[in-house]
Amino acid sequence: MNASRLDPRVTPARPDLAAAHLRGQVQAARYVEGTLKRIFEPVAPLRRAPQRDLGFETEALYGERVTIYESNAEGWAWGQLELDGYVGWLPAGALADPGRPATHRVAALSTFIYPRPDIKALPMVAFPFGCRLAIAREAGKFAVTDEGAFVPLQHLVPVGHREPDYVATARRFIGVPYLWGGRSSLGLDCSALVQLALHAAGTDCPRDSDMQAGLGSAVDFGGDLSKLKRGDLVYWQGHIGLIAGEGRLLHANAFHMTVAEEPLADAIQRIRADGLEIITVRRL
């Protein structure tokens, strides 16, 4: 099978190199097993090619794991993210050995990491929503990471925790700037908002909007917006949003350049003016 028949976004295969588990499925000059690493920066950009002047396809968050199949002398590493299978080039300096599996994740939109258990100490770094940490112990109101850093306990939840309401989770991002390819509370795009909210609820979700258009089951609403329910996913070509209830759409979008909630009818009219109609509505 030629690799071009597979989605390159989630297939670790190139003409010159492919993951060993794809042997017999794709043609490549060589096959490699790959090395497990983890993201060791708050946010790491993943690009389609090893060029710093390129925009990025997505982002990986601290503590997420990635299988690296190639590293080069220019400081790039090519691999596949474990969380959603996305493939691309990451800065090699953003990677570390896998370490112990994460025990907790950041549930606040952002939290600070301190060198000691003191909120007046100079923070070392800020971690956005969704970052994953291995916590060794607790110290008062702080959790202590395996690396010896301190994180406010109230900003963390166990990795297995499931948020009960993914719409409420998505609403917390209102006002976060729109960023193409962004996947953090520093900036994100439409499909990242959906993915982060669903992952926090314990629901698997692919990265891009066209992939997400296959989630759940189709809703035959016949153009009657009153039939749509809170939590339904509304998909246009290249765009996706969540029904927030009462006929309102919650979405990260380039019109507002932020995560915004607005009347669904207004969004439909504006997007229709650009020549796009709703393709499908999905119910989870």
Side-chain angles (χ1 to χ4, degrees):
M1 180 183 294
N2 191 295
S4 64
R5 297 181 183 177
L6 301 174
D7 190 333
R9 294 172 295 179
V10 292
T11 305
R14 309 182 325 227
D16 63 320
L17 183 151
H21 70 267
L22 293 174
R23 189 187 300 271
Q25 300 179 54
V26 302
Q27 295 179 353
R30 62 191 177 100
Y31 301 87
V32 297
E33 291 291 343
T35 303
L36 185 64
K37 296 287 186 179
R38 65 173 163 141
I39 305 299
F40 205 64
E41 293 288 340
V43 181
L46 182 145
R47 292 178 167 91
R48 187 172 297 174
Q51 299 173 223
R52 296 191 185 279
D53 59 348
L54 280 182
F56 41 87
E57 301 296 301
T58 188
E59 293 177 313
L61 306 179
Y62 184 95
E64 293 182 357
R65 296 190 168 206
V66 55
T67 299
I68 298 300
Y69 295 103
E70 181 185 41
S71 297
N72 64 27
E74 288 73 45
W76 293 96
W78 184 75
Q80 183 173 34
L81 302 179
E82 183 177 273
L83 191 69
D84 57 23
Y86 228 90
V87 173
W89 292 89
L90 294 156
L95 304 175
D97 290 336
R100 189 164 63 95
T103 61
H104 291 72
R105 59 178 174 81
V106 176
L109 283 188
S110 182
T111 191
F112 290 108
I113 310 301
Y114 297 91
R116 59 182 184 274
D118 181 0
I119 62 171
K120 295 182 180 180
L122 182 66
M124 301 160 60
V125 69
F127 281 169
F129 180 97
C131 287
R132 296 172 174 234
L133 305 114
I135 298 301
R137 60 186 176 87
E138 296 182 9
K141 294 182 178 180
F142 289 85
V144 186
T145 70
D146 280 0
E147 291 78 23
F150 294 82
V151 191
L153 265 173
Q154 66 196 80
H155 287 172
L156 302 177
V157 293
V159 288
H161 173 80
R162 296 188 175 192
E163 295 292 339
D165 185 341
Y166 61 86
V167 175
T169 298
R171 254 201 184 113
R172 294 171 55 199
F173 287 80
I174 289 176
V176 170
Y178 178 86
L179 177 63
W180 176 270
R183 193 177 148 259
S184 84
S185 51
L186 300 174
L188 76 175
D189 59 24
C190 64
S191 54
L193 176 67
V194 171
Q195 187 189 54
L196 286 170
L198 290 183
H199 278 174
T203 300
D204 287 339
C205 180
R207 174 60 179 90
D208 291 343
S209 59
D210 63 317
M211 302 172 176
Q212 295 169 355
L215 293 171
S217 56
V219 177
D220 183 11
F221 66 105
D224 183 354
L225 301 184
S226 68
K227 293 183 178 180
L228 303 187
K229 295 183 179 180
R230 186 177 184 274
D232 285 348
L233 305 178
V234 184
Y235 172 65
W236 294 262
Q237 183 179 347
H239 188 60
I240 196 165
L242 290 160
I243 297 297
E246 299 178 351
R248 299 182 67 81
L249 182 72
L250 177 64
H251 59 151
N253 65 92
F255 177 79
H256 296 98
M257 284 306 294
T258 187
V259 177
E261 185 178 317
E262 62 176 322
L264 174 60
D266 290 356
I268 290 174
Q269 183 177 11
R270 184 177 67 248
I271 296 171
R272 180 176 288 142
D274 291 331
L276 300 177
E277 298 286 349
I278 293 175
I279 294 176
T280 185
V281 174
R282 312 294 294 189
R283 184 164 296 161
L284 303 180

